[in-house]
Amino acid sequence: MAAAAAVFVAGGGAAVVNGVLTQEDDQSAAAPLADDPEAGHESAPDTAQAYTPELVRSGTSYTGEALAEQASETLDRSPVGGASEEEPLPAESTVPPGTEACATGAAEELDLRVVLVDDALYGASPDSAWVMFAPDGDDVEVLVIEAGCDRADEVGESILDQETIESA
């Protein structure tokens, strides 16, 4: 005897039908869901998809006093903002080591998704800082983080400055 179970994917409105087969010894086994039923392999388990925010190098030396204005200009010129009439900042293909882990930690710290990182300078220090942008409705949270941050759990102690700006 064969039975059919339907699994509905939330938000996608798609249905996947998975047949339940009964073996001769009356034990039931569910057929695995696969990306391609003809391939005969199981799908990878559901995991959070890793993401990489866009990276730019604006050349900006951010300061505490002008952070909001400087961050707004960078966001407007970036691939994710694109609202400026000035020359757009190109997205970089090479991401410095630790940037992704640090962006993930910043996202957890803010409970928001970081979509843009500017590899720049902050204050009088000659060392790089990562300016991270995370949209929050009509606003964007901006975090300035020491570029040495290479683990998600180090973000809190690596924050140099923070500002909220309006999105374009």
Side-chain angles (χ1 to χ4, degrees):
M1 176 174 164
V7 178
F8 294 93
V9 179
V16 178
V17 178
N18 182 18
V20 178
L21 306 175
T22 304
Q23 298 175 348
E24 287 183 32
D25 61 357
D26 288 328
Q27 292 178 343
S28 296
L33 294 175
D35 293 333
D36 179 4
E38 301 293 320
H41 67 277
E42 292 187 32
S43 297
D46 289 338
T47 57
Q49 294 295 317
Y51 70 92
T52 303
E54 291 284 342
L55 176 75
V56 296
R57 289 189 173 92
S58 68
T60 303
S61 292
Y62 291 90
T63 63
E65 301 80 35
L67 179 59
E69 181 181 323
Q70 292 169 317
S72 291
E73 182 180 326
T74 298
L75 181 61
D76 289 349
R77 292 180 55 212
S78 75
V80 298
S84 177
E85 292 180 10
E86 293 183 43
E87 185 173 336
L89 294 169
E92 297 288 328
S93 58
T94 305
V95 178
T99 306
E100 291 176 31
C102 196
T104 299
E108 290 171 5
E109 180 94 10
L110 295 170
D111 197 26
L112 298 170
R113 185 172 188 249
V114 174
V115 297
L116 177 68
V117 177
D118 184 10
D119 187 10
L121 299 172
Y122 181 76
S125 176
D127 298 328
S128 290
W130 293 326
V131 182
M132 300 193 176
F133 298 79
D136 185 15
D138 290 338
D139 296 328
V140 176
E141 290 298 318
V142 179
L143 285 176
V144 181
I145 300 175
E146 293 175 1
C149 165
D150 62 357
R151 292 194 346 242
D153 61 351
E154 293 179 346
V155 172
E157 59 199 47
S158 299
I159 296 173
L160 301 172
D161 206 343
Q162 185 171 354
E163 186 72 54
T164 301
I165 61 174
E166 290 183 22
S167 59

